[in-house]
Amino acid sequence: MSAICQLCWSNLPCDMDLRRRTILLTFALLTAAGGPARADEDRSDRHDHDRARWAREQGHARPLAEILDQVRDQLGGEVVGVEFDRDGSRYVYEFKVITSAGRLREVYVDAMTAEIMKSEDD
């Protein structure tokens, strides 16, 4: 008898990493870190999403999943939130990461090159 998957509640084999990534990205896009969603946070999340889509369509940014795959091992913890911003002439994914020590860290990653620009504890 195989174990039940904690993500999909199935006893069939599954790709837990893909499902986990999908759940985390969905969580990041649908919630605002730090508390219940407010109307202005909802607008900001939609604005981030629209801006990211436009930047991808124009060739100014790579998809979030690609960037996350490339830098995940360098982030130093579990991604619990993502924002999309512009820093001068480049677009940036801002990852909110919980470290193994339980600290919140913000990691800024170039949305085109996946270069980690800076990392700071919150």
Side-chain angles (χ1 to χ4, degrees):
M1 176 178 267
S2 60
I4 294 177
C5 173
Q6 295 294 315
L7 295 173
C8 67
W9 298 98
S10 168
N11 60 354
L12 301 174
C14 68
D15 182 355
M16 288 183 63
D17 284 342
L18 177 61
R19 290 177 193 271
R20 184 176 183 201
R21 184 178 327 136
T22 301
I23 289 170
L24 285 172
L25 293 177
T26 301
F27 175 78
L29 292 173
L30 295 177
T31 63
R38 298 187 324 246
D40 58 335
E41 289 172 339
D42 289 342
R43 282 192 294 275
S44 176
D45 288 346
R46 280 193 300 263
H47 184 67
D48 276 0
H49 177 76
D50 292 340
R51 189 173 34 201
R53 183 176 354 158
W54 181 88
R56 284 191 318 271
E57 289 171 355
Q58 299 301 312
H60 300 298
R62 291 176 29 214
L64 174 59
E66 280 182 25
I67 298 293
L68 192 54
D69 282 344
Q70 195 167 341
V71 300
R72 180 185 313 277
D73 293 339
Q74 302 167 53
L75 295 177
E78 187 75 29
V79 176
V80 295
V82 180
E83 292 181 17
F84 187 78
D85 292 314
R86 188 169 187 158
D87 182 18
S89 63
R90 16 189 220 185
Y91 288 93
V92 176
Y93 287 110
E94 177 187 333
F95 293 102
K96 309 259 190 228
V97 177
I98 299 292
T99 68
S100 58
R103 299 186 65 116
L104 180 63
R105 174 179 292 151
E106 294 179 354
V107 182
Y108 298 85
V109 178
D110 185 290
M112 195 65 196
T113 66
E115 170 194 353
I116 294 179
M117 299 164 54
K118 72 177 176 176
S119 177
E120 56 190 28
D121 290 339
D122 217 17

